[in-house]
mmCIF file of all heavy atoms in Angstrom:
data_model
loop_
_atom_site.group_PDB
_atom_site.id
_atom_site.type_symbol
_atom_site.label_atom_id
_atom_site.label_comp_id
_atom_site.label_asym_id
_atom_site.label_seq_id
_atom_site.Cartn_x
_atom_site.Cartn_y
_atom_site.Cartn_z
ATOM 1 N N ARG R 933 4.596 40.268 -98.686
ATOM 2 C CA ARG R 933 4.012 38.975 -98.260
ATOM 3 C C ARG R 933 4.924 37.827 -98.681
ATOM 4 O O ARG R 933 5.134 36.882 -97.909
ATOM 5 C CB ARG R 933 2.612 38.804 -98.868
ATOM 6 C CG ARG R 933 2.642 38.812 -100.376
ATOM 7 C CD ARG R 933 1.295 38.708 -101.049
ATOM 8 N NE ARG R 933 1.562 38.621 -102.487
ATOM 9 C CZ ARG R 933 0.667 38.629 -103.430
ATOM 10 N NH1 ARG R 933 -0.610 38.732 -103.111
ATOM 11 N NH2 ARG R 933 1.006 38.533 -104.687
ATOM 12 N N GLU R 934 5.481 37.921 -99.908
ATOM 13 C CA GLU R 934 6.352 36.842 -100.397
ATOM 14 C C GLU R 934 7.599 36.716 -99.518
ATOM 15 O O GLU R 934 8.047 35.617 -99.206
ATOM 16 C CB GLU R 934 6.799 37.097 -101.843
ATOM 17 C CG GLU R 934 5.756 36.795 -102.894
ATOM 18 C CD GLU R 934 4.760 37.926 -103.100
ATOM 19 O OE1 GLU R 934 4.909 38.992 -102.454
ATOM 20 O OE2 GLU R 934 3.821 37.759 -103.901
ATOM 21 N N ASP R 935 8.149 37.875 -99.120
ATOM 22 C CA ASP R 935 9.377 37.834 -98.326
ATOM 23 C C ASP R 935 9.118 37.349 -96.905
ATOM 24 O O ASP R 935 9.925 36.613 -96.329
ATOM 25 C CB ASP R 935 10.055 39.213 -98.331
ATOM 26 C CG ASP R 935 10.833 39.441 -99.636
ATOM 27 O OD1 ASP R 935 10.808 38.531 -100.498
ATOM 28 O OD2 ASP R 935 11.457 40.502 -99.796
ATOM 29 N N ILE R 936 8.012 37.752 -96.325
ATOM 30 C CA ILE R 936 7.693 37.267 -94.969
ATOM 31 C C ILE R 936 7.539 35.750 -95.003
ATOM 32 O O ILE R 936 8.094 35.021 -94.178
ATOM 33 C CB ILE R 936 6.412 37.943 -94.432
ATOM 34 C CG1 ILE R 936 6.656 39.441 -94.214
ATOM 35 C CG2 ILE R 936 5.944 37.275 -93.138
ATOM 36 C CD1 ILE R 936 5.408 40.244 -93.879
ATOM 37 N N ASP R 937 6.803 35.265 -95.993
ATOM 38 C CA ASP R 937 6.576 33.820 -96.074
ATOM 39 C C ASP R 937 7.860 33.056 -96.405
ATOM 40 O O ASP R 937 8.146 32.029 -95.788
ATOM 41 C CB ASP R 937 5.479 33.519 -97.110
ATOM 42 C CG ASP R 937 4.079 33.738 -96.527
ATOM 43 O OD1 ASP R 937 3.977 33.965 -95.303
ATOM 44 O OD2 ASP R 937 3.090 33.680 -97.280
ATOM 45 N N ALA R 938 8.635 33.592 -97.354
ATOM 46 C CA ALA R 938 9.886 32.904 -97.717
ATOM 47 C C ALA R 938 10.827 32.872 -96.518
ATOM 48 O O ALA R 938 11.505 31.871 -96.265
ATOM 49 C CB ALA R 938 10.559 33.608 -98.895
ATOM 50 N N ALA R 939 10.857 33.959 -95.746
ATOM 51 C CA ALA R 939 11.766 34.027 -94.594
ATOM 52 C C ALA R 939 11.466 32.897 -93.612
ATOM 53 O O ALA R 939 12.382 32.223 -93.141
ATOM 54 C CB ALA R 939 11.632 35.384 -93.903
ATOM 55 N N MET R 940 10.192 32.674 -93.313
ATOM 56 C CA MET R 940 9.876 31.655 -92.310
ATOM 57 C C MET R 940 10.027 30.239 -92.867
ATOM 58 O O MET R 940 10.376 29.313 -92.141
ATOM 59 C CB MET R 940 8.464 31.879 -91.746
ATOM 60 C CG MET R 940 8.339 33.180 -90.984
ATOM 61 S SD MET R 940 9.711 33.504 -89.822
ATOM 62 C CE MET R 940 9.318 32.386 -88.481
ATOM 63 N N LYS R 941 9.753 30.095 -94.158
ATOM 64 C CA LYS R 941 9.923 28.761 -94.745
ATOM 65 C C LYS R 941 11.407 28.405 -94.827
ATOM 66 O O LYS R 941 11.836 27.332 -94.414
ATOM 67 C CB LYS R 941 9.326 28.725 -96.159
ATOM 68 C CG LYS R 941 7.852 28.373 -96.145
ATOM 69 C CD LYS R 941 7.201 28.606 -97.477
ATOM 70 C CE LYS R 941 7.701 27.658 -98.543
ATOM 71 N NZ LYS R 941 6.936 27.822 -99.790
ATOM 72 N N LEU R 942 12.196 29.322 -95.350
ATOM 73 C CA LEU R 942 13.608 29.010 -95.595
ATOM 74 C C LEU R 942 14.466 29.212 -94.348
ATOM 75 O O LEU R 942 15.470 28.540 -94.168
ATOM 76 C CB LEU R 942 14.145 29.863 -96.744
ATOM 77 C CG LEU R 942 13.387 29.707 -98.065
ATOM 78 C CD1 LEU R 942 13.962 30.637 -99.116
ATOM 79 C CD2 LEU R 942 13.446 28.260 -98.553
ATOM 80 N N GLY R 943 14.072 30.139 -93.491
ATOM 81 C CA GLY R 943 14.873 30.406 -92.293
ATOM 82 C C GLY R 943 14.582 29.408 -91.185
ATOM 83 O O GLY R 943 15.447 29.118 -90.363
ATOM 84 N N CYS R 944 13.364 28.888 -91.142
ATOM 85 C CA CYS R 944 12.987 27.987 -90.049
ATOM 86 C C CYS R 944 12.525 26.620 -90.532
ATOM 87 O O CYS R 944 12.148 25.777 -89.717
ATOM 88 C CB CYS R 944 11.852 28.594 -89.220
ATOM 89 S SG CYS R 944 12.211 30.210 -88.574
#
Side-chain angles (χ1 to χ4, degrees):
R933 60 183 185 186
E934 283 83 3
D935 281 1
I936 293 172
D937 280 352
M940 295 314 285
K941 272 168 67 174
L942 302 178
C944 304

